[in-house]
Amino acid sequence: MDMGRCGSTYGSEENPVNIYVEGLCKAFKKKSVLSDVHLSFSGVYGLLGPNGAGKTTLMKILAGLESFQSGIVYMDEQVISTKSYVKKIDAIGYLSQDFMVYPELTVYQVLEHIAVLQGKKVTETAEKIHDVLKKVNLQHQEKKKMKELSGGMRRRVGIAQLLLREPSVLLFDEPTAGLDIEERVRFRNLLKKLGKHHLVIISSHLVEDIEFLCNRIGIIKDGNVLFEGKPQELKEKANEQVYQLEIRPEELDDVIGKQEVIQMEDNGSRILVRFLSDEPIGEVVSPRLIDGYLTILKASYIHE
Amino acid sequence: MNKIKHHFQFDIRLLKGIYMLPFIGYLIALLLMVLSYPEGSYLPYIFLQGIAIPAAGLHLVFLYTPIYEEGATDTLLHYYRRNLVNDLLRYSLLHGVFILFLTGLLVLVKGVEFLDLIKVMHLFLLFLFYQVIGISILTIVKSLEITIAIYAIYTVTEVVTLGNFLPWPHLFLFEEPFYDIWLFLTFFFLVVGIILSIVQLIRALK
């Protein structure tokens, strides 16, 4: 089977594939970047973690762009890795956070060329390009030069070129980083839409994006998996640890000094403050995703 | 056929005026070869080796530079890897035609006996070498400017000093060859250079 040519070999529109990573290790200059990583990617998967956690490395390994020392990667039941690389297959598409190609050429020219590089016949490209541009809502920008596009539009061109080869898996590294709020909302909605027909893996340090998009979450820090599960399970990690206080504005500095404040809501004369605490202070409230994430990170610092 | 046409059209669109540089190199080589005719010297062969053949290797260097532009590597490397052999063939054939034409002119200028087997093999290996060395350096230094600097400094220094200035591998023939160690070393360095360049290309684009 020629896996490099058959993007549609894996999964289908109705049943997107799953990816399983077992015992993945990677070290760089004797420093461990990923250490015995076991993860099961399905649905729309959010990979959370602080900067330098190993998220981008893991994404690049899955895309076949970086090597690893040991471990196995499966797509459904099929092994898609060799001893040190995930095979470069069309079924997996990776979009880096700084995607930019051929700045002097138009969107259409870029997509046409990439389609030909992918092995498509020149005569078949036009229809396909219009189709993917419509999917990423760029149908009116095809004559614009790449360098004239905003960051969000550029990334949508990045998705369009991935969709040209009909991948089953889409990997997005920090997809909303550096986008203004309007672009961010538009981009998130597009990712949500793509998640209906593809396995989408998003790496981010923005909990808000993950909360909006993902039905499964993994947290890594310093190359170690700290958590994997559903958003609800992550929230439950902070049960009985999130408290809320209503304070006067002049008390705010004092509270910030004593507690790890996660969120504030200014109601004019009063401020509603949410914070993580091991001691019961104020009113206990139901945790949100960010609370669960912070609780797990906090626990990992304690173990260090 | 449509694909080949598309690739050439795209390359011209991408490089714009820069696409003409190798052809300007040919024009200069042609003029110098014709102008050096009355002297009956070795110069026409030096111009063919030192200007036309190095110019023939520039297209692929320019065309593969976008891989190393910011934000493009992760996307383009995957696609260029697949098309490398096609691109090498396309441009080797295109420039092969021009080099053949200039070699024909050399035969016209110097007589058919000038082009013996050694020179034919030398021209062929030098042509292959320049087709792969530039793009191979590019995959190491990842910068068009540095690649062109290395490419030009070596070629210009060798040609201007007729291989007498620096103690590095010499790849050109500046006088009628004898079967001696220097001729052997020239061929040896050419073959080693071609092999190492191909290995580097496979390694970088795997």
Side-chain angles (χ1 to χ4, degrees), chain B residues 18 48 65 68 87 111 133 137-138 153 157 178 182 196 206:
Chain B
I18 296 171
L48 176 60
T65 300
Y68 298 108
D87 290 338
I133 188 68
I137 296 171
L138 180 72
I153 287 169
T157 311
F178 298 103
W182 299 112
L196 288 181
K206 75 178 179 186

Side-chain angles (χ1 to χ4, degrees), chain B residues 76-94:
Chain B
L76 292 184
L77 201 64
H78 177 71
Y79 300 132
Y80 277 55
R81 179 177 56 91
R82 279 183 180 182
N83 286 274
L84 176 67
V85 176
N86 282 342
D87 290 338
L88 280 169
L89 281 175
R90 256 184 333 121
Y91 278 93
S92 295
L93 283 174
L94 173 73

Side-chain angles (χ1 to χ4, degrees), chain A residues 3-22:
Chain A
M3 296 199 307
R5 299 271 168 203
C6 306
S8 53
T9 307
Y10 303 96
S12 64
E13 289 261 304
E14 295 76 28
N15 300 303
V17 296
N18 295 332
I19 286 186
Y20 305 100
V21 170
E22 286 184 6

Side-chain angles (χ1 to χ4, degrees), chain A residues 225-266:
Chain A
V225 178
L226 302 181
F227 168 87
E228 186 177 38
K230 292 177 181 165
Q232 188 54 37
E233 290 165 354
L234 180 56
K235 285 179 192 171
E236 284 165 10
K237 294 281 175 187
N239 270 350
E240 307 294 324
Q241 293 186 58
V242 189
Y243 296 90
Q244 187 171 282
L245 272 178
E246 200 175 49
I247 56 170
R248 292 192 303 275
E250 55 269 27
E251 291 172 319
L252 184 61
D253 286 345
D254 189 40
V255 175
I256 287 176
K258 286 178 187 162
Q259 306 296 340
E260 271 184 72
V261 175
I262 304 164
Q263 206 176 26
M264 285 184 285
E265 202 180 311
D266 196 341

Side-chain angles (χ1 to χ4, degrees), chain B residues 13-51:
Chain B
R13 203 178 279 149
L14 181 70
L15 297 184
K16 297 191 180 105
I18 296 171
Y19 197 83
M20 293 311 291
L21 278 183
F23 302 114
I24 293 170
Y26 291 145
L27 201 64
I28 293 169
L30 177 84
L31 287 173
L32 290 172
M33 283 169 79
V34 172
L35 289 174
S36 64
Y37 167 65
E39 291 177 25
S41 67
Y42 215 68
L43 281 175
Y45 189 60
I46 294 175
F47 294 136
L48 176 60
Q49 296 172 79
I51 298 175

Side-chain angles (χ1 to χ4, degrees), chain A residues 4 60 65 88 90 94 96 98-102 104-105 109 113-114 116-120 161 165, chain B residues 2-3 6-7 10-11 13-14 16 66 69-72 74-76 78-83 206:
Chain A
K60 286 194 170 184
L65 297 169
K88 288 185 181 100
D90 280 352
Y94 169 77
S96 62
D98 57 352
F99 170 82
M100 176 59 159
V101 289
Y102 309 128
E104 295 295 333
L105 300 183
Q109 288 166 346
H113 186 58
I114 288 180
V116 174
L117 289 177
Q118 287 171 352
K120 294 190 171 46
Q161 61 88 17
R165 60 182 215 230
Chain B
N2 268 348
K3 268 193 184 177
H6 164 87
H7 278 294
F10 180 84
D11 295 348
R13 203 178 279 149
L14 181 70
K16 297 191 180 105
E69 283 170 359
E70 204 184 335
D74 291 337
T75 303
L76 292 184
H78 177 71
Y79 300 132
Y80 277 55
R81 179 177 56 91
R82 279 183 180 182
N83 286 274
K206 75 178 179 186

Side-chain angles (χ1 to χ4, degrees), chain A residues 11-57:
Chain A
S12 64
E13 289 261 304
E14 295 76 28
N15 300 303
V17 296
N18 295 332
I19 286 186
Y20 305 100
V21 170
E22 286 184 6
L24 199 71
C25 295
K26 179 174 171 86
F28 185 69
K29 288 183 180 171
K30 291 183 181 172
K31 188 182 177 288
S32 175
V33 182
L34 293 172
S35 149
D36 197 24
V37 170
H38 290 258
L39 288 169
S40 307
F41 298 102
S42 60
V44 181
Y45 192 102
L47 200 56
L48 265 173
N51 290 331
K55 303 186 297 289
T56 298
T57 305

